[in-house]
Amino acid sequence: MVLTAFRPTRDIQSETPHLLPVSVTLEHFRDAVAADGFWIFWRNSLLVTAGCVLLALVVALAAAFAVARMRWRGRRGFILMVFIAQVAPWEALLIPMYVIARDADLLDRLTTLSLIYFMVTLPFTIVTLRSFLAAVPAELEEAAQVDGCTRAAAFRRVTLPLLAPGLLATSLFGFITAWNEFAFANMLIIKNQDDRTLPVWLSSFSNVFGTDWGATMAASTLFALPVLVLFLVLQGRVAAGMTGGAVKG
Protein backbone atom coordinates (compact mmCIF):
# COMPACT_ATOMS: atom_id res chain seq x y z
CA MET A 1 0.00 0.00 0.00
CA VAL A 2 2.71 2.47 0.99
CA LEU A 3 4.99 1.57 -1.91
CA THR A 4 2.15 1.87 -4.42
CA ALA A 5 1.22 5.26 -2.98
CA PHE A 6 4.67 6.58 -3.96
CA ARG A 7 4.79 5.00 -7.43
CA PRO A 8 3.94 7.05 -10.51
CA THR A 9 0.81 5.89 -12.32
CA ARG A 10 2.82 4.47 -15.23
CA ASP A 11 4.75 2.21 -12.85
CA ILE A 12 1.60 1.03 -11.08
CA GLN A 13 0.10 -0.09 -14.38
CA SER A 14 3.35 -1.40 -15.81
CA GLU A 15 3.45 -4.95 -17.16
CA THR A 16 6.81 -5.41 -15.44
CA PRO A 17 6.28 -5.02 -11.69
CA HIS A 18 9.08 -3.97 -9.34
CA LEU A 19 9.20 -4.54 -5.61
CA LEU A 20 10.64 -1.08 -4.94
CA PRO A 21 9.53 2.02 -6.85
CA VAL A 22 11.75 2.89 -9.80
CA SER A 23 10.87 6.54 -9.21
CA VAL A 24 8.99 8.29 -6.41
CA THR A 25 6.18 10.84 -6.60
CA LEU A 26 3.97 12.68 -4.12
CA GLU A 27 1.29 13.32 -6.72
CA HIS A 28 -1.06 10.69 -5.32
CA PHE A 29 -0.89 12.18 -1.83
CA ARG A 30 -1.65 15.61 -3.25
CA ASP A 31 -4.63 14.17 -5.12
CA ALA A 32 -5.90 12.44 -1.98
CA VAL A 33 -5.61 15.51 0.25
CA ALA A 34 -7.13 17.74 -2.43
CA ALA A 35 -10.05 15.37 -2.99
CA ASP A 36 -13.47 16.80 -2.29
CA GLY A 37 -14.32 16.61 1.41
CA PHE A 38 -11.10 14.98 2.64
CA TRP A 39 -10.73 17.19 5.71
CA ILE A 40 -14.47 17.10 6.45
CA PHE A 41 -14.49 13.30 6.50
CA TRP A 42 -11.29 13.27 8.55
CA ARG A 43 -13.01 15.46 11.13
CA ASN A 44 -16.13 13.26 11.07
CA SER A 45 -14.10 10.12 11.74
CA LEU A 46 -12.22 11.82 14.56
CA LEU A 47 -15.41 13.08 16.23
CA VAL A 48 -17.19 9.72 15.94
CA THR A 49 -14.16 7.81 17.22
CA ALA A 50 -13.46 10.16 20.14
CA GLY A 51 -17.09 10.12 21.23
CA CYS A 52 -17.21 6.32 21.11
CA VAL A 53 -13.99 5.84 23.08
CA LEU A 54 -14.81 8.37 25.82
CA LEU A 55 -18.34 7.10 26.34
CA ALA A 56 -17.22 3.46 26.40
CA LEU A 57 -14.49 4.19 28.97
CA VAL A 58 -16.84 6.01 31.35
CA VAL A 59 -19.62 3.42 31.21
CA ALA A 60 -17.29 0.40 31.19
CA LEU A 61 -15.26 1.71 34.12
CA ALA A 62 -18.41 1.99 36.25
CA ALA A 63 -19.62 -1.46 35.14
CA ALA A 64 -16.20 -3.05 35.71
CA PHE A 65 -16.04 -1.58 39.23
CA ALA A 66 -19.49 -2.95 40.04
CA VAL A 67 -18.54 -6.41 38.78
CA ALA A 68 -15.04 -6.60 40.27
CA ARG A 69 -15.55 -4.89 43.61
CA MET A 70 -19.18 -5.50 44.57
CA ARG A 71 -21.27 -8.59 45.25
CA TRP A 72 -24.89 -8.45 44.11
CA ARG A 73 -27.59 -10.79 42.89
CA GLY A 74 -27.40 -11.41 39.14
CA ARG A 75 -23.71 -10.50 38.91
CA ARG A 76 -22.67 -13.75 37.22
CA GLY A 77 -25.60 -13.54 34.82
CA PHE A 78 -24.57 -10.00 33.90
CA ILE A 79 -20.99 -11.11 33.22
CA LEU A 80 -22.29 -13.97 31.07
CA MET A 81 -24.42 -11.57 29.02
CA VAL A 82 -21.39 -9.32 28.50
CA PHE A 83 -19.37 -12.26 27.18
CA ILE A 84 -22.22 -13.30 24.87
CA ALA A 85 -22.52 -9.74 23.56
CA GLN A 86 -18.78 -9.67 22.93
CA VAL A 87 -18.80 -12.75 20.69
CA ALA A 88 -21.93 -11.74 18.76
CA PRO A 89 -21.08 -10.95 15.10
CA TRP A 90 -21.50 -7.34 14.05
CA GLU A 91 -23.15 -8.37 10.80
CA ALA A 92 -26.13 -9.69 12.78
CA LEU A 93 -26.77 -6.14 14.01
CA LEU A 94 -26.74 -4.37 10.65
CA ILE A 95 -30.40 -4.77 9.73
CA PRO A 96 -31.81 -4.30 13.27
CA MET A 97 -29.72 -1.16 13.78
CA TYR A 98 -30.85 0.25 10.44
CA VAL A 99 -34.52 -0.40 11.23
CA ILE A 100 -34.19 1.18 14.68
CA ALA A 101 -32.32 4.21 13.33
CA ARG A 102 -34.84 4.66 10.52
CA ASP A 103 -37.89 4.42 12.80
CA ALA A 104 -36.30 6.76 15.35
CA ASP A 105 -35.28 9.27 12.67
CA LEU A 106 -31.59 8.80 13.49
CA LEU A 107 -30.23 8.20 10.01
CA ASP A 108 -27.55 10.53 8.59
CA ARG A 109 -26.25 11.51 12.02
CA LEU A 110 -22.74 11.17 13.38
CA THR A 111 -24.19 10.77 16.88
CA THR A 112 -25.88 7.55 15.78
CA LEU A 113 -22.56 6.13 14.56
CA SER A 114 -20.87 7.03 17.86
CA LEU A 115 -23.60 5.29 19.84
CA ILE A 116 -23.41 2.15 17.68
CA TYR A 117 -19.62 1.98 17.93
CA PHE A 118 -19.95 2.53 21.67
CA MET A 119 -22.37 -0.39 21.86
CA VAL A 120 -20.02 -2.60 19.84
CA THR A 121 -16.88 -1.80 21.87
CA LEU A 122 -18.54 -1.73 25.30
CA PRO A 123 -18.50 -5.53 26.05
CA PHE A 124 -14.78 -5.83 25.31
CA THR A 125 -14.05 -2.71 27.35
CA ILE A 126 -15.99 -4.03 30.35
CA VAL A 127 -14.29 -7.43 30.23
CA THR A 128 -10.82 -5.93 29.87
CA LEU A 129 -11.21 -3.31 32.59
CA ARG A 130 -12.76 -5.90 34.90
CA SER A 131 -9.64 -8.04 34.57
CA PHE A 132 -7.34 -5.08 35.24
CA LEU A 133 -9.46 -3.90 38.16
CA ALA A 134 -9.65 -7.36 39.72
CA ALA A 135 -5.85 -7.58 39.65
CA VAL A 136 -5.46 -4.40 41.71
CA PRO A 137 -5.51 -5.38 45.40
CA ALA A 138 -8.61 -4.09 47.14
CA GLU A 139 -6.44 -3.59 50.24
CA LEU A 140 -4.92 -0.52 48.61
CA GLU A 141 -8.31 1.19 48.57
CA GLU A 142 -9.05 0.01 52.10
CA ALA A 143 -5.76 1.46 53.34
CA ALA A 144 -6.59 4.79 51.72
CA GLN A 145 -10.00 4.75 53.40
CA VAL A 146 -8.34 4.11 56.74
CA ASP A 147 -6.22 7.20 56.09
CA GLY A 148 -9.38 9.26 55.67
CA CYS A 149 -10.34 8.95 51.99
CA THR A 150 -13.89 8.26 50.97
CA ARG A 151 -14.49 5.22 48.78
CA ALA A 152 -14.76 7.42 45.69
CA ALA A 153 -11.60 9.35 46.62
CA ALA A 154 -9.69 6.13 47.29
CA PHE A 155 -10.67 4.78 43.89
CA ARG A 156 -9.76 8.04 42.16
CA ARG A 157 -6.39 8.53 43.90
CA VAL A 158 -5.18 4.95 44.30
CA THR A 159 -6.87 2.57 41.88
CA LEU A 160 -7.47 4.77 38.85
CA PRO A 161 -3.76 5.58 38.30
CA LEU A 162 -2.99 1.86 38.41
CA LEU A 163 -5.61 1.26 35.72
CA ALA A 164 -3.76 3.45 33.23
CA PRO A 165 -2.43 0.49 31.18
CA GLY A 166 -5.92 -1.02 30.98
CA LEU A 167 -7.49 2.31 30.03
CA LEU A 168 -4.90 2.83 27.31
CA ALA A 169 -5.31 -0.71 25.95
CA THR A 170 -9.08 -0.47 25.77
CA SER A 171 -8.90 3.04 24.32
CA LEU A 172 -6.61 1.78 21.58
CA PHE A 173 -8.96 -1.09 20.76
CA GLY A 174 -11.97 1.22 20.70
CA PHE A 175 -10.14 3.74 18.53
CA ILE A 176 -9.09 1.13 15.97
CA THR A 177 -12.57 -0.41 15.89
CA ALA A 178 -14.43 2.86 15.37
CA TRP A 179 -11.82 4.36 13.04
CA ASN A 180 -11.83 1.38 10.66
CA GLU A 181 -15.56 0.53 10.66
CA PHE A 182 -17.18 0.70 7.23
CA ALA A 183 -20.46 -1.24 7.12
CA PHE A 184 -22.50 0.82 9.60
CA ALA A 185 -21.11 4.11 8.31
CA ASN A 186 -21.95 3.17 4.74
CA MET A 187 -25.47 1.99 5.63
CA LEU A 188 -26.60 4.69 8.07
CA ILE A 189 -25.26 7.76 6.25
CA ILE A 190 -27.41 7.88 3.13
CA LYS A 191 -28.61 11.35 2.20
CA ASN A 192 -26.20 13.69 3.97
CA GLN A 193 -22.92 12.81 2.25
CA ASP A 194 -21.03 15.43 4.26
CA ASP A 195 -21.45 13.19 7.32
CA ARG A 196 -19.56 10.29 5.78
CA THR A 197 -16.44 8.95 7.49
CA LEU A 198 -13.03 8.19 6.04
CA PRO A 199 -13.60 4.46 5.35
CA VAL A 200 -16.65 5.32 3.25
CA TRP A 201 -14.83 8.20 1.58
CA LEU A 202 -12.10 5.80 0.40
CA SER A 203 -14.59 4.18 -1.95
CA SER A 204 -14.91 7.49 -3.82
CA PHE A 205 -11.74 6.72 -5.81
CA SER A 206 -13.62 4.00 -7.69
CA ASN A 207 -15.88 5.18 -10.51
CA VAL A 208 -17.22 4.09 -13.88
CA PHE A 209 -13.77 4.67 -15.39
CA GLY A 210 -12.05 2.31 -12.98
CA THR A 211 -10.03 2.79 -9.81
CA ASP A 212 -7.32 5.38 -9.27
CA TRP A 213 -4.99 2.97 -7.48
CA GLY A 214 -2.33 5.54 -6.72
CA ALA A 215 -4.75 7.94 -5.02
CA THR A 216 -6.52 5.03 -3.31
CA MET A 217 -3.28 3.71 -1.82
CA ALA A 218 -2.18 7.21 -0.79
CA ALA A 219 -5.54 7.85 0.88
CA SER A 220 -5.36 4.45 2.59
CA THR A 221 -1.89 5.29 3.89
CA LEU A 222 -3.12 8.59 5.31
CA PHE A 223 -6.09 6.75 6.78
CA ALA A 224 -3.91 4.15 8.52
CA LEU A 225 -1.37 6.71 9.78
CA PRO A 226 -3.27 7.90 12.91
CA VAL A 227 -3.82 4.33 14.13
CA LEU A 228 -0.15 3.47 13.55
CA VAL A 229 1.07 6.60 15.34
CA LEU A 230 -1.31 6.04 18.27
CA PHE A 231 -0.19 2.43 18.63
CA LEU A 232 3.50 3.34 18.55
CA VAL A 233 2.98 6.04 21.17
CA LEU A 234 0.90 3.88 23.53
CA GLN A 235 2.44 0.43 23.16
CA GLY A 236 5.09 1.01 25.81
CA ARG A 237 2.58 2.21 28.36
CA VAL A 238 0.13 -0.58 27.59
CA ALA A 239 2.84 -3.17 28.24
CA ALA A 240 4.01 -1.47 31.44
CA GLY A 241 3.53 -3.18 34.77
CA MET A 242 -0.02 -2.60 35.97
CA THR A 243 0.68 -2.38 39.67
CA GLY A 244 4.17 -1.00 39.56
CA GLY A 245 4.77 1.18 42.57
CA ALA A 246 1.52 0.13 44.25
CA VAL A 247 2.99 0.23 47.72
CA LYS A 248 1.38 2.22 50.48
CA GLY A 249 3.87 4.70 51.88
Side-chain angles (χ1 to χ4, degrees), residues 21 24 52 56 67 79 104 114 122 132 139 144 154 194 200 210 220 222 226 237:
V24 175
C52 158
V67 170
I79 297 174
S114 286
L122 184 60
F132 276 94
E139 290 77 10
D194 288 339
V200 180
S220 299
L222 294 175
R237 297 184 181 182

Side-chain angles (χ1 to χ4, degrees), residues 69-113:
R69 287 286 193 265
M70 300 179 179
R71 297 295 180 266
W72 38 278
R73 181 174 298 179
R75 173 175 164 271
R76 292 188 177 182
F78 174 79
I79 297 174
L80 178 61
M81 287 191 298
V82 171
F83 275 106
I84 293 175
Q86 182 180 350
V87 301
W90 296 6
E91 293 79 3
L93 301 176
L94 282 171
I95 296 178
M97 286 296 101
Y98 173 81
V99 173
I100 293 173
R102 182 198 62 192
D103 295 344
D105 194 23
L106 293 175
L107 294 176
D108 299 302
R109 297 186 184 183
L110 294 178
T111 306
T112 305
L113 285 180

